[in-house]
Amino acid sequence: MAKALDYESLNENVKKTAYAVRGELYLRASELQKEGKKIIFTNVGNPHALGQKPLTFPRQVVALCQAPFLLDDPNVGLLFPADAIARAKHYLQLTSGGLGAYSDSRGIPGVRKEVAEFIERRDGYPTDPELIFLTDGASKGVMQMLNAIIRNENDGILVPVPQYPLYSAAITLYGGSLVPYYLEEEANWSLDFNNIRQSIASARSKGITVRAMVIINPGNPTGQCLSEANIRELLRFCFLENLVLLADEVYQQNIYQDERPFISARKILFDMGPPLNKEVQLVSFHTVSKGYWGECGQRGGYFEMTNLSPKTVDEIYKVASISLSPNVPGQIFMGLMVNPPKPGDISYFKFEQESKAIMESLRKRAHIMTDGFNSCRNVVCNFTEGAMYSFPQIRLPARAIEAAKSAGKAPDVLYCLKLLEATGISTVPGSGFGQKEGVFHLRTTILPAEEDMPAIMESFKKFNDAFMEEYEDYRGYSRM
Amino acid sequence: MGSDATAPVTVESINPKVLKCEYAVRGEIVTHAQRLQQKLQTNPSSLPFDEIIYCNIGNPQSLGQQPITFFREVLALSDHPALLEKPETSILFSSDSIARAQQILSSIPGKATGAYSHSQGIKGLRDAIAEGIAARDGFPANADDIFLTDGASPGVHNMMQLLLRSESDGILCPIPQYPLYSASIALHGGTLVPYYLDEATGWGLEISELKKQLEDARSKGITVRALVVINPGNPTGQVLAEENQKQIVEFCKNEGLVLLADEVYQENIYVDDKKFNSFKKIARSMGYGEEDLPLVSYQSISKGYYGECGKRGGYMEVTGFSSSVREQIYKVASVNLCSNISGQILASLVMNPPKLGDASYESYVAERDGILKSLARRAKALEDALNSLEGVTCNKAEGAMYLFPQVRLPEKAIEAAKEAKKAPDAFYALSLLESTGVVVVPGSGFGQVPGTYHFRCTILPQEDKIPAIISRLTAFHESFLNKYRD
């Protein structure tokens, strides 16, 4: 009797799915770590894993919510400030039985109200808490929406290249088609609408119904912050082409330049007025994993729906209800993030200090890393305007590309494996995110501690320049 | 609002599998209850009852059950490790919770509870869980076989995604079943192959019924891939006898089926003559090893005596699969990066609670036994009350958290239901809600033998509320029958 479940009889879509962020490089790095090698994991945006400390106030609040009996203890004030105690009581009251009870499948109503108030303060337009669903991390929300949209392989989703491979993985898992649109590296990874129009036309000529467009702003892995003009054109495009816009805005707090501050797609949509503001369908995603909070392990996120009909929202609610509810501590982190300590609160000063220190350091590290890469032979790197990553282009010599082919590996995979073995720096090859044919990159994060950065960049430069020396032909590779 | 005719995402154009799936536990009746609850808030005397009592969902802490103190102490310390550096902490926290938190934190790289972990969950926690499984079963368990998930439900979805290639792939599911199974099978595009539990014999699982349904499905061109067994049962509450379990293992082995063992109620047993045996233990005790039986065992932190639903913690223990299949399971898990760390920690505590000699042991045991004994009392009280109603028979709840009585509805009621365009048991449940404020889930949400009607009611309201619930239920049932008497 054939085995009940063997590789051959698995769902094909599962087999086709790839997620490089925890793929080959990461697995190799983990192996080396087990063997005792010191590894610097820069494969995933995971700030606390690289030494960033959690903000104090939210941890105090959630600890009190975990152990409400502390609130009755006369000594609680010895360990917790009064505003953390008050906030814990506030959130416990909003739950239907503390952290251990399933909440509403959309998330605790009181927290969703806090999120709505945050969105209104940020954008200047009111929003309905009923259209905000909290999720176990933003990724779950992305997967829920893509699952709702994709009917079969003839449904296409426009995805930026390079992209965060959650999108390609989810589209493959759900049996849809990824329709790529290329970001312009030479123009600071900006949108090229001619290219987007070509992509959509090409897909349609193959019988694909393009249903949605994904935009990641600030970009991952590319880090660019979109201009208002770009976003306006994007929204007009979605309106004309009848696409729902999926706006991944999880890095909205991570901005390292002042020319292009973050503006949400929703704000611009409403600024544009009728008919777009009532017609364009938009889903916006946010998380507690990034920004200066970096609370990846809590799995807190939300999505906000704009211009989806009540019946559609009901169906999305139905699917959310099967998983019963998002985790309650993560929901409280979300509430705290959108509603942090205010001037005058006891914890405000410390909270501000901690937050500013992280943001200033991230900005510094964005520069250190970009400059460091640009000082390396055959490496060109756009500035990390936002998010948490650096995505340098590695101009691999022809002989390196051949060597990779002989080894049966993509050229950037070979480069990253050698980088890993030589320096312990664990990155993700650009092929994991998508790139133009024949152009190679790697993604690393700007998250290693500031004091470790110079040594890391030096280590990288040493490896890279030696690699280039080894593989260049005697004429050298001209920098064009 | 987007005009539905032309907008890209409408009910007409969304994934039909989403439209097809259903989940009654938070379905129509609950939405209605929430509306009534809002009505009560604005006008407390507008309805014939003071409050809505949600007996639709296994959510113990929403109905007053207290969390286990030791677990919450460890979690608070893990969430805010700065506490461990303060001398005052030893005044407010038990010494063993401090020690356990320190041990857990040192097993987490950088002690960073805010970092994404390994996609299967933190290794040290999986080690603790594997030890717990081995201590429970008497057979070894491997940390690498464990996948920590946000509740047990995502693990069920993972396996359905892997197993179901098309509508021609089927999964054998008990009827009645917890509708996560029917929903996830629909969502992943497969076919549910029902096997009926026998109400007359305490919801017995007959191998002859399994065989019959399997052959029937195969004759229709369905490739049956797996067998779901929920033990203790939900909504039915029965605990399988060892002999029965052995037959099930043999059946899966002989027919080449993956055994999906939902064991989330393993700590909810209310009868002395039955015991929980994990399917892994049974298989190993029969001499079957990894090569003999692909088995996925699910456990959750939401049930038992800990009832930590809101934390979303659980795991699946995956044994008997080739390494290439396991890589695929890992890959799908990695797309979501990892489950929430707090839930992971709780799962390790549940599988490795305080032991004799630990500072918190006695108070832990008192809390645990208090909850379990109370659950057993409530199960009995509600079961007796239901059995005393005219035309109602209710099997004993040997385990889990529910009662699933059968209600013989008069013809007139069935007609009234038809007119109201509702399933007869949904009509009954709705009338029950409107008269008493008690929310139950109609049996049609779980599946039942056609022509029979049930509802699922949890045993979770606090003990002091039970008499009032019983008297309201009794009064309602009498008046319902009188109204629709033939």
Side-chain angles (χ1 to χ4, degrees), chain B residues 39-50:
Chain B
K39 207 170 165 204
L40 276 179
Q41 266 163 17
T42 45
N43 187 357
S45 51
S46 58
L47 295 167
F49 46 84
D50 295 328

Side-chain angles (χ1 to χ4, degrees), chain A residues 183-253:
Chain A
L183 301 174
E184 270 312 300
E185 185 163 10
E186 281 81 47
N188 203 31
W189 297 116
S190 60
L191 300 174
D192 173 359
F193 282 91
N194 283 327
N195 179 264
I196 300 176
R197 274 185 278 271
Q198 265 168 22
S199 293
I200 203 174
S202 166
R204 284 171 176 163
S205 71
K206 294 188 200 130
I208 299 205
T209 309
V210 184
R211 305 284 305 284
M213 181 166 184
V214 172
I215 187 71
I216 311 174
N217 181 41
N220 175 6
T222 44
Q224 85 286 22
C225 296
L226 294 177
S227 66
E228 187 173 339
N230 247 188
I231 300 176
R232 278 185 177 247
E233 204 174 343
L234 195 63
L235 287 163
R236 231 174 268 125
F237 180 78
C238 288
F239 175 67
L240 291 169
E241 301 294 343
N242 208 30
L243 307 172
V244 57
L245 182 62
L246 304 176
D248 178 337
E249 298 176 329
V250 302
Y251 295 100
Q252 56 186 267
Q253 282 175 351

Side-chain angles (χ1 to χ4, degrees), chain B residues 215-472:
Chain B
E215 268 147 36
D216 193 57
R218 282 174 173 166
S219 72
K220 294 190 191 126
I222 308 256
T223 309
V224 181
R225 308 272 283 159
L227 170 70
V228 171
V229 181
I230 311 174
N231 183 44
N234 177 5
T236 45
Q238 84 288 16
V239 178
L240 295 173
E242 223 179 289
E243 241 343 279
N244 215 188
Q245 288 184 277
K246 287 184 178 165
Q247 292 168 331
I248 291 165
V249 167
E250 284 291 356
F251 176 76
C252 287
K253 186 172 179 310
N254 295 338
E255 300 294 346
L257 303 175
V258 175
L259 178 53
L260 301 174
D262 177 339
E263 299 177 330
V264 303
Y265 295 100
Q266 57 187 262
E267 305 241 32
N268 298 101
I269 313 273
Y270 311 126
V271 293
D272 298 320
D273 59 342
K274 289 278 184 68
K275 196 169 139 278
F276 171 74
N277 294 304
S278 77
F279 269 100
K280 178 144 165 280
K281 176 182 173 188
I282 297 288
R284 296 290 177 271
S285 70
M286 293 165 78
Y288 292 138
E290 288 265 347
E291 330 68 54
D292 297 301
L293 180 74
L295 166 65
V296 182
S297 313
Y298 296 97
Q299 165 62 316
S300 168
I301 65 171
S302 301
K303 312 302 177 190
Y305 55 87
Y306 20 91
E308 297 277 20
C309 303
K311 299 297 181 58
R312 315 313 279 116
Y315 68 79
M316 53 181 187
E317 186 192 7
V318 175
T319 54
F321 294 96
S322 67
S323 58
S324 50
V325 171
R326 293 172 56 93
E327 272 164 30
Q328 298 300 310
I329 298 175
Y330 168 83
K331 184 177 70 176
V332 173
S334 77
V335 175
N336 194 50
L337 284 154
C338 73
S339 65
N340 84 80
I341 307 301
S342 185
Q344 292 189 30
I345 293 174
L346 250 178
S348 78
L349 292 169
V350 159
M351 295 307 288
N352 194 7
K355 304 209 173 11
L356 185 61
D358 292 352
S360 300
Y361 180 69
E362 273 171 35
S363 55
Y364 155 77
V365 167
E367 286 177 353
R368 178 195 71 191
D369 292 351
I371 289 167
L372 288 173
K373 290 200 176 106
S374 172
L375 284 167
R377 284 194 296 268
R378 285 178 269 166
K380 191 79 181 54
L382 284 165
E383 178 204 326
D384 288 345
L386 289 164
N387 274 313
S388 74
L389 300 177
E390 186 186 337
V392 177
T393 49
C394 187
N395 280 340
K396 184 185 246 345
E398 297 184 332
M401 289 178 174
Y402 314 97
L403 287 163
F404 198 65
Q406 184 180 153
V407 185
R408 276 161 200 85
L409 295 171
E411 266 311 306
K412 277 205 192 139
I414 296 174
E415 274 155 35
K418 264 201 190 84
E419 266 180 52
K421 295 210 178 75
K422 297 220 177 296
D425 46 21
F427 181 75
Y428 178 90
L430 196 56
S431 311
L432 170 64
L433 168 61
E434 288 180 339
S435 311
T436 66
V438 177
V439 191
V440 300
V441 187
S444 39
F446 303 86
Q448 54 205 347
V449 170
T452 66
Y453 308 107
H454 302 77
F455 63 84
R456 188 188 78 168
C457 179
T458 70
I459 60 172
L460 298 174
Q462 286 304 295
E463 261 179 288
D464 56 3
K465 288 222 150 75
I466 300 285
I469 292 174
I470 289 174
S471 65
R472 275 198 254 163

Side-chain angles (χ1 to χ4, degrees), chain A residues 251-438:
Chain A
Y251 295 100
Q252 56 186 267
Q253 282 175 351
N254 299 100
I255 311 286
Y256 312 125
Q257 41 71 40
D258 303 315
E259 292 75 37
R260 271 177 304 287
F262 172 76
I263 312 177
S264 77
R266 191 168 189 273
K267 175 181 198 300
I268 295 175
L269 177 63
F270 286 158
D271 283 348
M272 291 170 86
L276 271 73
N277 63 347
K278 291 254 169 6
E279 300 289 322
V280 176
Q281 294 185 318
L282 168 66
V283 185
S284 313
F285 300 91
H286 199 9
T287 181
V288 305
S289 300
K290 310 300 178 194
Y292 51 91
W293 282 59
E295 291 280 11
C296 303
Q298 311 300 343
R299 315 316 274 120
Y302 76 75
F303 63 89
E304 183 204 4
M305 297 173 279
T306 303
N307 293 333
L308 263 59
S309 76
K311 279 207 200 128
T312 306
V313 174
D314 282 346
E315 291 297 322
I316 293 167
Y317 168 76
K318 181 179 69 177
V319 175
S321 76
I322 301 170
S323 301
L324 288 156
S325 92
N327 88 77
V328 176
Q331 298 186 41
I332 294 176
F333 271 95
M334 179 56 80
L336 288 162
M337 188 181 85
V338 298
N339 192 9
K342 294 179 185 40
D345 291 352
I346 298 166
S347 300
Y348 176 72
F349 181 69
K350 184 168 188 183
F351 182 84
E352 263 304 286
Q353 256 196 330
E354 289 174 345
S355 311
K356 263 184 91 189
I358 292 168
M359 286 312 298
E360 279 167 7
S361 176
L362 282 168
R363 192 180 268 235
K364 277 204 203 114
R365 285 179 273 169
H367 282 282
I368 294 173
M369 206 158 226
T370 307
D371 294 344
F373 281 130
N374 279 318
S375 79
C376 296
R377 199 146 144 195
N378 296 338
V379 178
V380 170
C381 190
N382 282 345
F383 176 59
T384 297
E385 299 186 338
M388 286 178 174
Y389 311 96
S390 191
F391 198 65
Q393 185 185 141
I394 317 286
R395 292 179 171 167
L396 294 171
R399 279 189 24 235
I401 296 173
E402 273 154 40
K405 271 204 184 81
S406 322
K409 295 211 179 290
D412 47 16
V413 172
L414 183 75
Y415 179 92
C416 291
L417 281 169
K418 285 189 180 285
L419 169 67
L420 170 64
E421 314 236 340
T423 66
I425 301 171
S426 170
T427 59
V428 187
S431 42
F433 303 87
Q435 51 205 353
K436 288 195 171 139
E437 183 79 39

